[in-house]
Amino acid sequence: MAQHINPNPVQQNLSVEELAAILRDPQSGERLSSNPELLQHIKDRLDDPDTHRKVMEMINRGRPLLHGCPVMYGGLGGTVRKNQREKYQSEINSIKQMGFSQEDDILDALIDSQGDISRAIDALMSR
């Protein structure tokens, strides 16, 4: 099912359901490359941990909740994940220097803690 993308993101506020549908769609990355404003709008919405969690839950409905799952489905998820990794690269490196080695787990903890290294380490230690 083709996802209709409103060409004017300033006049829209995508619902969690719409965000999940776009992330699931393997062709969304190609379509969004011609709409950088909408792409930025989606990235900005997914920077909010609560929205990010809700979208991931919708994508993973019926599966265990894993923050990185959109990468496995293609679509925009890989782009968002890459941007989050770039955003938190300094924090990832700091945590890795402390002896943690699973970069995806580190990134998930940083996303959940909004980049707070101390809270991310607490989360990693409780897993």
Side-chain angles (χ1 to χ4, degrees):
M1 181 169 137
Q3 177 73 26
H4 174 70
I5 298 175
N6 184 337
N8 189 352
V10 176
Q11 295 180 356
Q12 68 184 15
N13 188 14
L14 295 173
S15 69
V16 170
E17 292 83 6
E18 290 169 320
L19 289 168
I22 290 170
L23 288 172
R24 271 194 300 252
D25 182 355
Q27 297 173 353
S28 65
E30 182 180 313
R31 287 197 307 263
L32 287 171
S33 66
S34 64
N35 195 336
E37 292 89 8
L38 180 56
L39 180 61
Q40 187 60 52
H41 173 77
I42 292 169
K43 290 177 188 176
D44 292 344
R45 291 285 315 278
L46 292 174
D47 276 344
D48 172 59
D50 188 51
T51 300
H52 183 265
R53 180 186 54 76
K54 288 176 182 176
V55 168
M56 296 305 105
E57 286 173 353
M58 292 201 75
I59 289 172
N60 297 308
R61 190 164 285 150
R63 299 176 191 87
L65 178 60
L66 297 172
H67 296 282
C69 278
V71 175
M72 298 183 337
Y73 295 107
L76 182 61
T79 301
V80 170
R81 186 76 172 172
K82 179 181 174 211
N83 289 340
Q84 290 170 329
R85 189 174 306 277
E86 290 170 1
K87 176 180 178 179
Y88 293 121
Q89 192 60 56
S90 173
E91 291 87 348
I92 290 170
N93 292 340
S94 295
I95 293 173
K96 286 174 82 174
Q97 289 175 349
M98 295 176 198
F100 295 91
S101 60
Q102 298 297 320
E103 196 164 309
D104 284 335
D105 290 343
I106 295 169
L107 181 57
D108 290 341
L110 286 165
I111 291 167
D112 289 344
S113 69
Q114 298 180 341
D116 184 313
I117 291 176
S118 183
R119 286 182 29 220
I121 291 170
D122 287 343
L124 289 166
M125 291 178 68
S126 68
R127 291 181 183 182

